[in-house]
Amino acid sequence: MSLQDNIARILISPAEIQSRIETLAAEINAAYTDEDRPLLVCVLKGAFLFLADLTRFLDMRHEIDFMEVSSYGAGTRSSGVVRILLDLERNVEGRHVLIVEDIVDTGRTLSYMIRHLNARNPASIRICTLLSKPSRRQIDVRVDWIGFEVPDEFVVGYGLDYAEEYRNLPYIGVLRPEVYRD
Ligand code: PRP
């Protein structure tokens, strides 16, 4: 039994993902100057593939750093409690920060991160997410770039997991409900 057998359908293909990221990168290139030299903050683990592809389409000067936050544990729904598992290495004071997320669901993780980073006095904070589930939003966060809006279904692949698996799938797929309902 392969991971693919547990996917009900493919929502976004690898080609669609790459094409959208190229467009997002062009917009992000245009939004910053070389002097801004933004710090891209990849939110681990889900955004690792998105950051890897996005950074290769950017031609402005920039740096990358990583934060690991978790709100889900091993379940399928956000616990509402956000924990920092790994903090930034770089100092963000006076820096232009671009948060790179895989998905905004309730908005709790982002809202927590924005508060956390704002306390360190960055020059600006902008947000880029590959996916957004607007129907699940509980906290209204202003997101500057959204790759795709997705329906309220359990999506995995291209960095997104179920119980730490499926992150390696090259597409965004819908997980069969029977996989997480047993
Ligand atoms: C997921 C995702 C976002 C967050 C979104 O992370 O990567 O960071 O949940 O949900 P929210 O808008 O309801 O807060 P998760 O906690 O599953 O960690 P992971 O990225 O390591 O899988």
Side-chain angles (χ1 to χ4, degrees):
M1 179 101 170
S2 78
L3 288 181
Q4 315 250 3
D5 294 332
N6 289 334
I7 302 301
R9 67 181 199 283
I10 294 176
L11 209 54
I12 309 169
S13 72
E16 288 171 314
I17 293 170
Q18 290 305 310
S19 159
R20 184 72 184 121
I21 294 175
E22 193 169 0
T23 302
L24 290 174
E27 292 176 15
I28 292 168
N29 277 326
Y32 292 98
T33 65
D34 277 341
E35 291 69 43
D36 288 337
R37 206 163 49 86
L39 181 67
L40 272 58
V41 173
C42 175
V43 186
L44 295 172
K45 304 180 186 115
F48 79 108
L49 288 179
F50 181 36
L51 184 276
D53 283 337
L54 183 67
T55 189
R56 282 180 285 183
F57 280 119
L58 294 175
D59 54 21
M60 65 188 184
R61 295 178 66 194
H62 66 282
E63 293 178 33
I64 60 172
D65 202 350
F66 299 89
M67 262 184 92
E68 183 171 4
V69 295
S70 184
S71 64
Y72 273 59
T76 59
R77 292 281 165 177
S78 174
S79 65
V81 179
V82 181
R83 290 181 304 143
I84 294 183
L85 306 179
L86 174 77
D87 210 341
L88 294 175
E89 183 202 10
R90 309 296 290 159
N91 184 358
V92 301
E93 188 169 353
R95 298 291 308 264
H96 293 278
V97 172
L98 177 61
I99 299 175
V100 178
E101 257 288 22
D102 56 331
I103 187 164
V104 184
D105 189 331
T106 64
R108 287 182 185 282
T109 303
L110 261 187
S111 150
Y112 179 88
M113 286 195 59
I114 291 165
R115 261 183 290 128
H116 178 82
L117 292 171
N118 258 331
R120 301 175 183 182
N121 300 316
S124 69
I125 297 182
R126 283 193 251 196
I127 295 153
C128 176
T129 185
L130 181 67
L131 306 178
S132 173
K133 259 189 202 174
S135 59
R136 295 253 311 145
R137 203 74 89 247
Q138 292 175 9
I139 299 179
D140 189 26
V141 278
R142 185 185 49 78
V143 181
D144 300 270
W145 291 280
I146 295 174
F148 302 90
E149 290 196 346
V150 292
D152 187 12
E153 294 182 280
F154 200 85
V155 290
V156 294
Y158 195 73
L160 287 93
D161 75 310
Y162 168 59
E164 295 300 330
E165 291 190 298
Y166 301 90
R167 296 192 196 274
N168 59 306
L169 296 179
Y171 51 78
I172 302 288
V174 176
L175 192 63
R176 289 188 189 284
E178 56 267 33
V179 175
Y180 55 88
R181 273 200 200 126
D182 52 44

